């Protein structure tokens, strides 16, 4: 018997700065409907999927910055997505900018993803830990990457939820480049890692790597999957967004590190794979059986 889960990686094309959330949400619902028709039970959307990738602009007016954040989930604009999920009996991963208040009444802002079940309830929340970019205006860049200005680092660790018949972890974009992210999830026996990304083709600090962006994307996703024996679903916001080219390459990776499904455009597109979560055993019980082969007492430097 297999633990089969049909997953759709729902890549989004660009979202204009002027595009209302309602439009992004209806694009997502259209993909969710197509995915459900093909038997998908889980649909994965990109990082910051409700708006344009706003950290590319330097802004000083907090009120303007806050127009890109959600203060509740679901909200009036996002509720139709939750309702569609319930109607179609599918769950989803959604990335968005979260503005919230902590227990002491302080305002906090995070780059967040949620895992929502087919009944519309939020099963797990992740707040991005590896925030790339810079916090001050750097006019020499062709565009800014101000995640360090607009968000604080995630404070929820790397949770793994029992969901969709398996063990599901999440991360967001730059997190995928860090082996520690996948290892933190792998050490909790994650069987499925979901992540959305917005990755520009042009990397201002090292433009000599621009031609490697797609390669590096698949390199880290495939390595993370194989080295931890987990399925990985990586989903892009792609295409030319407000003059900035974002890579596509949305894909579903098997625990062996092989690409099981992949998008071929830079627009709204779904890639679907039938993911047998039991296939994680092929790796987790053998070559990367952590209990048998890992040597944590030799890795002290990792935690210094
Ligand atoms: N949204 C991101 O985290 N983007 C980064 C870019 C800036 C390198 C990424 O790792 O893809």
């Amino acid at each position: 018997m297999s633990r089969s889960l049909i997953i759709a990686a729902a890549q989004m094309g660009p979202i204009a700065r002027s595009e209302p959330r309602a439009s992004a949400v209806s694009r997502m619902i259209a993909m969710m409907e197509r995915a459900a028709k093909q038997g998908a039970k889980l649909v994965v959307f990109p990082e910051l999927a409700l708006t344009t990738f706003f950290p590319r602009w330097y802004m000083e007016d907090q009120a303007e910055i806050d127009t890109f954040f959600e203060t509740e989930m679901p909200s009036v604009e996002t509720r139709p997505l939750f309702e569609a999920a319930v109607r179609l009996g599918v769950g989803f991963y959604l990335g968005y900018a979260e503005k919230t208040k902590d227990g002491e009444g302080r305002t906090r802002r995070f780059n967040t993803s949620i895992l929502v079940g087919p009944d519309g309830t939020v099963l797990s929340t992740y707040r991005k830990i590896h925030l790339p970019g810079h916090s001050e205006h750097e006019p020499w860049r062709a565009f800014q990457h101000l995640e360090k200005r607009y968000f604080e680092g995630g404070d929820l660790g790397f949770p793994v939820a029992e969901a969709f018949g398996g063990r599901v972890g999440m991360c967001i974009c730059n997190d995928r480049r860090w082996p520690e992210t996948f290892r933190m999830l792998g050490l909790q026996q994650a069987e499925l890692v979901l992540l959305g990304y917005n990755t520009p083709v042009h990397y201002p600090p090292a433009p000599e790597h621009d031609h490697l962006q797609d390669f590096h994307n698949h390199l880290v996703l495939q390595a993370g999957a194989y080295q931890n024996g987990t399925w990985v679903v990586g989903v892009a916001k792609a295409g030319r967004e407000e003059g900035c080219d974002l890579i596509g390459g949305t894909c579903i990776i098997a625990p062996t590190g092989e690409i099981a499904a992949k998008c071929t455009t830079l627009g709204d597109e779904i890639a679907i794979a039938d993911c047998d979560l039991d296939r994680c055993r092929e790796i987790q019980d053998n070559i990367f059986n952590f209990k048998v082969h890992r040597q944590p007492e030799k890795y002290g430097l990792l935690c210094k």
Side-chain angles (χ1 to χ4, degrees), residues 13-15 52-57 142-145 198-204 237-248 266:
I15 300 180
T52 199
F53 189 77
F54 65 91
R56 75 166 62 90
W57 291 290
F143 49 85
Q144 305 294 296
H145 197 107
N198 282 259
T199 297
V201 173
H202 176 51
Y203 182 62
K237 174 134 65 59
R240 178 158 298 183
E241 188 177 83
E242 299 291 356
C244 177
D245 285 314
L246 301 170
I247 66 165
L266 294 176

Side-chain angles (χ1 to χ4, degrees), residues 84-203:
V86 174
R87 171 169 54 86
L88 298 165
V90 302
F92 63 93
Y93 164 110
L94 174 73
Y96 66 98
E98 177 192 12
K99 180 182 166 191
T100 188
K101 285 218 190 293
D102 66 17
E104 277 134 52
R106 286 176 306 210
T107 298
R108 316 279 301 270
R109 293 177 185 81
F110 300 100
N111 186 341
T112 295
S113 63
I114 47 172
L115 180 66
V116 177
D119 61 352
T121 58
V122 175
L123 302 174
S124 185
T125 302
Y126 171 72
R127 291 170 173 160
K128 186 174 183 178
I129 286 179
H130 299 97
L131 294 174
H134 48 109
S135 39
E136 297 306 325
H137 191 206
E138 297 187 3
W140 62 268
R141 291 173 182 258
F143 49 85
Q144 305 294 296
H145 197 107
L146 287 156
E147 284 194 62
K148 285 191 197 297
R149 181 179 188 85
Y150 300 141
F151 303 114
E152 56 182 296
D155 60 351
L156 299 176
F158 294 96
V160 170
E162 294 275 359
F164 300 93
R167 297 183 57 75
V168 186
M170 294 186 281
C171 61
I172 302 177
C173 196
N174 191 263
D175 287 320
R176 74 197 189 288
R177 301 185 192 272
W178 300 86
E180 292 87 348
T181 299
F182 285 104
R183 189 57 105 218
M184 286 298 293
L185 297 169
L187 286 170
Q188 299 171 77
Q189 292 85 46
E191 296 173 310
L192 176 58
V193 177
L194 311 175
L195 71 113
Y197 57 90
N198 282 259
T199 297
V201 173
H202 176 51
Y203 182 62

Side-chain angles (χ1 to χ4, degrees), residues 24-104:
V25 166
S26 71
R27 286 166 57 185
M28 284 187 252
I29 292 173
M31 287 197 281
M32 192 181 259
E33 284 170 347
R34 284 209 303 278
K37 272 202 187 110
Q38 294 179 60
K41 293 286 173 233
L42 174 61
V43 181
V44 183
F45 295 112
E47 171 191 35
L48 299 175
L50 297 169
T51 67
T52 199
F53 189 77
F54 65 91
R56 75 166 62 90
W57 291 290
Y58 176 70
M59 294 174 274
E60 285 181 339
D61 177 5
Q62 192 59 56
E64 182 185 10
I65 298 163
D66 280 345
T67 61
F68 295 99
F69 282 77
E70 312 304 313
T71 51
E72 53 179 354
M73 190 58 68
S75 58
V76 172
E77 287 116 328
T78 53
R79 191 173 299 282
L81 186 62
F82 286 69
E83 288 169 351
V86 174
R87 171 169 54 86
L88 298 165
V90 302
F92 63 93
Y93 164 110
L94 174 73
Y96 66 98
E98 177 192 12
K99 180 182 166 191
T100 188
K101 285 218 190 293
D102 66 17
E104 277 134 52

